[in-house]
Amino acid sequence: QVQLVESGGGLVQAGGSLRLSCAASGRTFSLYTMGWFRQAPGKERDFAAAITWSSDKTYYADSVKGRFTISRDNAKNTVYLQMNSLKPEDTAVYYCAAGRHPWGIGIHGADFGSWGQGTQVTVSS
């Protein structure tokens, strides 16, 4: 198991930016795909972005493509989500997740075996 702790959420006006961080501990971070998911009030948890263990590939939901950027620093066991041009519909709890298997690739919730506690992002209009 890996422990994940998100930070960086908060309240921002539409058009603004936030950077989320997720610090990992407990296993070899660099072997696992990392992802960000989000859950808006009354809705299911949705995929937002993912990055492979070597950072050679990134994946984004259509709703965030061109505005969000996922990155990772394996030396710091940390994954980031840079969110620009935020919209009110980006309001959600954002969760960091670690892949279920080493070197695995996936963008579905079932592909991830460890989850953080979430950080709230609120975008005001």
Side-chain angles (χ1 to χ4, degrees):
Q1 279 290 65
V2 63
Q3 289 74 49
L4 303 171
V5 179
E6 303 99 333
S7 61
L11 173 64
V12 64
Q13 288 188 334
S17 298
L18 282 174
R19 188 175 84 152
L20 306 183
S21 299
C22 172
S25 62
R27 65 179 183 186
T28 308
F29 173 81
S30 61
L31 298 181
Y32 295 85
T33 288
M34 297 296 295
W36 287 95
F37 289 74
R38 63 185 186 178
Q39 187 168 20
K43 296 187 177 181
E44 294 185 352
R45 186 174 60 192
D46 290 331
F47 168 76
I51 186 167
T52 55
W53 60 92
S54 60
S55 302
D56 64 330
K57 292 184 179 179
T58 55
Y59 305 88
Y60 296 96
D62 288 342
S63 57
V64 308
K65 199 171 295 183
R67 300 187 297 121
F68 290 12
T69 302
I70 189 171
S71 62
R72 66 190 294 163
D73 185 338
N74 287 343
K76 296 182 178 180
N77 284 4
T78 302
V79 62
Y80 305 97
L81 186 67
Q82 177 67 44
M83 305 185 295
N84 298 329
S85 302
L86 282 162
K87 305 175 181 179
E89 51 264 44
D90 294 318
T91 295
V93 177
Y94 283 70
Y95 296 92
C96 173
R100 189 176 296 278
H101 304 293
W103 307 292
I105 297 176
I107 63 170
H108 303 288
D111 297 318
F112 295 84
S114 299
W115 298 82
Q117 82 288 349
T119 186
Q120 176 71 46
V121 172
T122 303
V123 184
S124 63
S125 57

